[in-house]
Structures are given as structure tokens and as C-alpha cells.
Amino acid sequence: RKEAEAVVAPVVAKVEAVEAALKRLEAAVEPILSISGDELDAFATPLSLLESAEKIAEEVVKFAEETKAAVTTQSGELPKVLKGAMMDAKRELAKMSSKADLAKRKCSTKLDGVRNKLGAILEAR
């Protein structure tokens, strides 16, 4: 059991970093994604919001890639025949890899939403 936890532990911190960066991105883009119409046209700093969102998105992608690399490395630490806690560790690593992929997709979706809103602002002006 302790061996399985030792295999999973290095990846947990990386997944937490991905999730924290994704939350920062969601908080940063929420002001523009939650408005429309006249409020959108009156939005004061759309380009600076996009720039900061892109920087945070780069962090999300970087942390996600680090997580995937750590999962690959830690998966190599697992024995060939998996039983009990080691099987659970393998499942946990797979879940963490999926979380990293999901974070990258969400990040892309959020940035696309911001870019669409910026396009609407440009059309209105």
C-alpha cells in the first residue's frame, strides 16, 4: 500500500497545480464570458484580459504536460503484474492523466470563448 502511494504521490502535486491554474484562468475570463450586448461593448480592457488569460493558459498547458510526463514516468515504476494497491495506483495515474487532458481542453475552450467575445467587441465598434 505504501509503495503504491509512493508511486502516485509525485503526480498528485502536479495535478493540483494544473487544477489551480485552471481555476485562475476561469476566474480571469469569467468577467468577459458572462456578459453580452451593450455590457460587452462597454468592456474596458478586453485585450489585457486576453493577454493575461493566454499567460495563465500557457501555465495550464505546461503543468498538464508535466503531469502527463510524471504519469508516464511513474507508470514505469509499477510492477509488470499488478495486484491490489498497485492496480489501484495504476487506475489513479490514469485518472490523473485524464484530468490533465481535460484541463487542456477546458483551457482551449475558455480561450476560444474570450476570442469570440473580442471579435464581437470589434464588430460592434
Side-chain angles (χ1 to χ4, degrees), residues 23-83:
K23 283 182 183 177
R24 282 197 326 272
L25 176 66
E26 290 172 341
V29 301
E30 194 272 328
I32 198 167
L33 293 180
S34 65
I35 59 176
S36 60
D38 291 337
E39 290 177 330
L40 186 59
D41 190 33
F43 194 81
T45 57
L47 288 178
S48 62
L49 185 138
L50 177 63
E51 289 172 0
S52 68
E54 286 176 337
K55 286 179 186 174
I56 298 169
E58 287 174 9
E59 287 181 35
V60 173
V61 170
K62 182 184 104 182
F63 291 146
E65 294 298 329
E66 288 175 1
T67 300
K68 299 278 287 177
V71 166
T72 302
T73 301
Q74 294 305 106
S75 293
E77 303 278 323
L78 294 172
K80 297 290 181 204
V81 178
L82 299 173
K83 295 180 193 172

Side-chain angles (χ1 to χ4, degrees), residues 94-107:
K95 284 181 192 176
M96 288 185 233
S97 181
S98 295
K99 283 183 181 182
D101 287 336
L102 179 62
K104 284 172 55 176
R105 284 194 304 275
K106 281 184 176 180
C107 178

